[in-house]
């Protein structure tokens, strides 16, 4: 344990910390165990309105209809994190090892499967476990696998097209949200007749944006600048 | 039915203890590479816990992100953290303080 | 539903373990791992409490919050790792300045 850097903190201070944290944990445990055993929470409302939400999976209904602004802001957070990573630059992002034969053939095999699984999750999210976040992260994993296998984005796509794909999710949410406000509605309150189609549109753009953002976060530096330097 | 409930409770107890043990091992491991691999295993067990809590949507997200993408991010960052003249895969028994300097 | 509260207690244990490690470790990569484990603990408590009503389907609202939270956690981790690499390239160490604690050393 001497190598973990803990030894910079003296034992007495560590013991004090343990005591304080134990007190905190006991307090938290008491708070949780004294909660009422039966509490349906918001599930009653979620199930009551499922017929006008456009989908039959309650989690997708919450994510993309009842609380669609959560998903909207979450896409914003992804974009901000990516801007932060790009603005920091990246020392040591350039050099990388060439993939071995196993990784090369594995990525050839897995990437099509991952893309198919992602498409299935996107479609199934309306009525079964799945949805934009899961599909986006599976697609992002496919992108990471491609990057590991030595693939790089085409120089012509690294500039504006990449940026358009990155802001696609936020832009579509903002645009459709604004259009829905105009006839006197509320932000991202879908009319029940169009809810199913709108949710599919949102899920598709969110999947693409999440996947490309996660892949870009893995790459670390702005591929456009990487090429320029 | 009674036996099944007992079995499920035993499974929950083992899973809970395994999660706590893996978290402790992750945080106390002297080697960073080992810590990250244990963290990936921790993410996979979290996905099992979500299934037990009847949250398959969360389990799918956790399996793809918690176990896959976060692990890849952490391992890449670790390899970028290491000096270029040393081996990329740190399974030599070097404590991180040496690797750092 | 005792097993639900078992998971909630495990979640709290993970949070406490992570907080302890976050405070005592100096290395930034360990701090990032600790924050991730704290987050997993919070998610576990949320989802466990969402499932605590017997005989009813779990509340989907905390599930949706946790899914959002997992994606936010991975993007925050990526940003933290980039910051750590930058600290490392500026100072040569992947640790924060220990000055505030050094007065306890003797």
């Amino acid at each position: 344990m001497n190598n973990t850097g803990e030894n910079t903190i003296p034992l007495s201070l560590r013991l004090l910390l343990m005591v304080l944290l134990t007190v905190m944990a006991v307090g938290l445990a008491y708070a949780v165990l004294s909660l009422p055993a039966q509490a349906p929470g918001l599930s009653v409302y979620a199930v009551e309105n499922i017929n006008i939400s456009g989908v039959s999976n309650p989690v997708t209904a919450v994510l993309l209809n009842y609380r669609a602004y959560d998903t909207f802001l979450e896409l914003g957070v992804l974009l901000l994190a990516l801007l932060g990573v790009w603005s920091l630059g990246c020392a040591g992002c350039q050099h990388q090892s060439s993939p071995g034969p196993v990784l090369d053939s594995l990525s050839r095999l897995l990437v099509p499967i991952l893309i198919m699984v992602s498409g299935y999750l996107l479609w199934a999210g309306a009525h079964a476990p799945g949805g934009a976040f899961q599909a986006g992260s599976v697609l992002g994993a496919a992108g990471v696998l491609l990057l590991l296998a030595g693939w790089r984005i085409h120089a012509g796509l690294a500039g504006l097209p990449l940026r358009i794909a990155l802001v696609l999710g936020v832009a579509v949410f903002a645009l459709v949200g604004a259009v829905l406000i105009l006839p006197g509605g509320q932000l991202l309150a879908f009319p029940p007749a169009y809810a199913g189609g709108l949710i599919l549109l949102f899920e598709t753009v969110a999947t693409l944006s999440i996947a490309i953002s996660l892949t870009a976060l893995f790459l670390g530096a702005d591929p456009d600048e990487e090429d320029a330097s | 039915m009674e036996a099944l409930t007992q079995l499920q409770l035993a499974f929950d107890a083992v899973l809970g203890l395994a999660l706590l043990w893996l978290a402790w091992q992750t945080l106390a491991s002297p080697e960073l590479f080992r810590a990250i691999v244990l963290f990936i295993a921790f993410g996979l067990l979290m996905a099992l816990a979500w299934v037990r809590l009847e949250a398959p949507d969360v389990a799918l997200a956790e399996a793809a992100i918690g176990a896959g993408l976060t692990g890849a991010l952490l391992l890449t960052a670790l390899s970028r953290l290491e000096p270029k003249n040393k081996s990329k895969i740190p399974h030599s028994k070097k404590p991180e303080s040496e690797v750092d300097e | 539903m005792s097993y639900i509260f078992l998971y909630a207690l495990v979640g709290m244990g993970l949070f406490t373990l992570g907080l302890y490690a976050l405070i005592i470790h100096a290395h930034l990569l360990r701090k990032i791992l600790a924050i991730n484990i704290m987050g997993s603990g919070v998610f576990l408590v949320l989802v466990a409490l969402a499932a605590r009503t017997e005989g009813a389907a779990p509340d989907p609202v905390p599930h949706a919050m946790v899914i959002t939270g997992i994606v936010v956690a991975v993007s925050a981790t990526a940003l933290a790792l980039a910051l750590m690499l930058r600290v490392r390239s500026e100072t040569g160490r992947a640790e924060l300045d220990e000055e505030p604690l050094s007065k306890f050393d003797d």
Side-chain angles (χ1 to χ4, degrees), chain A residues 4 6 8-9 14 17-18 21 25 28-29 32 36-40 42-43 62-63 74 78 84-85 88 133-134, chain C residues 5 9 12 16 19-20 23-25 49 52-54 59-60 64 67-68 71-72 74-75 79 82-83 86 104-105:
Chain A
T4 54
E6 287 179 23
T8 53
I9 298 179
R14 252 188 287 168
L17 184 62
M18 280 185 202
L21 286 179
L28 283 175
V32 165
Q38 308 281 325
L42 295 169
S43 55
V62 173
L63 272 175
E74 190 273 347
L78 256 182
V85 170
L88 283 168
F133 289 86
Q134 292 85 349
Chain C
F5 284 99
L9 289 178
M12 254 162 341
T16 314
L19 189 55
Y20 176 71
I23 295 171
I24 61 163
H25 284 300
L49 292 183
R52 73 180 191 271
T53 302
E54 209 158 345
D59 189 353
I67 292 172
T68 316
V71 179
V72 169
V74 74
S75 54
L79 182 57
L83 279 169
R86 187 60 187 264
F104 294 107
D105 275 347

Side-chain angles (χ1 to χ4, degrees), chain A residues 9 29 64 68 71 91 93 97 135 145 167 180-181 198 211 213:
Chain A
I9 298 179
L64 285 140
T71 307
C93 286
S97 54
L145 198 59
V167 297
L180 289 175
I181 286 179
L198 280 175
S213 303

